[in-house]
Structures are given as structure tokens and as C-alpha cells.
Amino acid sequence: MTRYHVRIYHNTQSQFMPYEDGQRLTATVSHWRDLPAGTSAQQIADWAFHVFNADLDHLERDRDKPGGETSFLIACVYRLLRLRSLSVGDVVEVATDRENRWLACDSFGWQPISAPSNVRGKPLTAEKVYHHLTPQVAQR
């Protein structure tokens, strides 16, 4: 098994259009996954696209399958943070202790890219979660 760190970045300059170098990306969430060695960055990006676009009802039905519980829970966090779907122009980073791969979501599949230069924010920090909880706590 290999440990993969998956980070999702939303393109804040050009939604639904292919990513272009230099466009501003904002970190949204990150997730550690233990997967068989040799799992490709594209396979992991496909998983992320599915999880961050699928209906929670669908993901909930698959909770008892391998990886299903983890997929359901990270999708719940993503929705609770009120993040939009993973779309064309967004970027997924897949890192191991040996390498980082960056993939831009394209109209059909994934386009390998160099490490982006215009990235802001940190994916899935306690501070980010607290920020989203604060208005709810204040309403009580």
C-alpha cells in the first residue's frame, strides 16, 4: 500500500473552461488515501471527480464497499463546507513521499500540468471548518 495525499484546488478565474497556467487556484480540501502501490494519479483524480460530484444518496448506498465509508465522509465534509462541484478548469494534486502530480480537469479527462504558480489558501484546516461553523453557532 502507498499513502497518497490528494488536494483539490478550485479555479477562481475561469470556471468550466480548461485551466491555463497562471490562473488563480484556491485550495479547498485535502485527503489522505492508502491505495495499492502503482495507483495512477489519474485514477485518484477520477475518484475525486466522482466523490465531489456524486449525490450523497448514491455514495451512502456504497458505504459498505471498500473505500465507500471514506468516500462518503469526505464528500459530506465537502458539501458541509458548501464547496461547488469539481469542474473543468479545477486542479487535483496527488502527492506521495516520492513525487507530486498535478492534473487539470479537462472537458474529457485530465491534463497533466506543471506545479501551478498562483495557489492560495490551505486545504482543509481546522480554521476553515471553524469559519464555516461560526455563523451556525452564532444563530443558536
Side-chain angles (χ1 to χ4, degrees):
M1 292 297 254
T2 300
R3 180 155 255 214
Y4 295 89
H5 194 196
V6 184
R7 296 176 185 100
I8 308 300
Y9 299 89
H10 284 171
N11 186 331
T12 58
Q13 283 188 270
S14 180
Q15 191 177 359
F16 304 122
M17 297 297 292
Y19 171 78
E20 293 181 22
D21 190 36
Q23 288 179 327
R24 188 173 43 253
L25 299 174
T26 299
T28 60
V29 296
S30 61
H31 179 64
W32 289 97
R33 297 200 69 201
D34 292 317
L35 297 167
T39 302
S40 73
Q42 182 172 339
Q43 289 171 306
I44 295 169
D46 286 341
W47 167 84
F49 187 87
H50 171 72
V51 167
F52 300 129
N53 284 287
D55 288 333
L56 290 178
D57 295 333
H58 174 75
L59 294 171
E60 184 178 33
R61 284 192 296 269
D62 292 337
R63 289 175 79 176
D64 63 338
K65 295 180 180 162
E69 181 70 6
T70 301
S71 295
F72 176 71
L73 292 174
I74 190 66
C76 287
V77 169
Y78 196 81
R79 295 333 184 272
L80 288 169
L81 291 174
R82 300 185 194 282
L83 297 168
R84 64 167 173 75
S85 64
L86 178 59
S87 306
V88 171
D90 294 336
V91 172
V92 174
E93 177 188 12
V94 178
T96 65
D97 59 352
R98 294 183 184 181
E99 65 182 344
N100 284 32
R101 300 280 179 154
W102 294 84
L103 299 166
C105 186
D106 215 349
S107 298
F108 298 99
W110 300 93
Q111 183 66 35
I113 61 171
S114 300
S117 59
N118 196 0
V119 176
R120 297 179 182 189
K122 294 180 181 178
L124 199 55
T125 62
E127 180 182 350
K128 186 181 284 191
V129 173
Y130 291 142
H131 172 77
H132 284 275
L133 293 176
T134 302
Q136 294 173 9
V137 171
Q139 290 176 3
R140 290 183 187 183

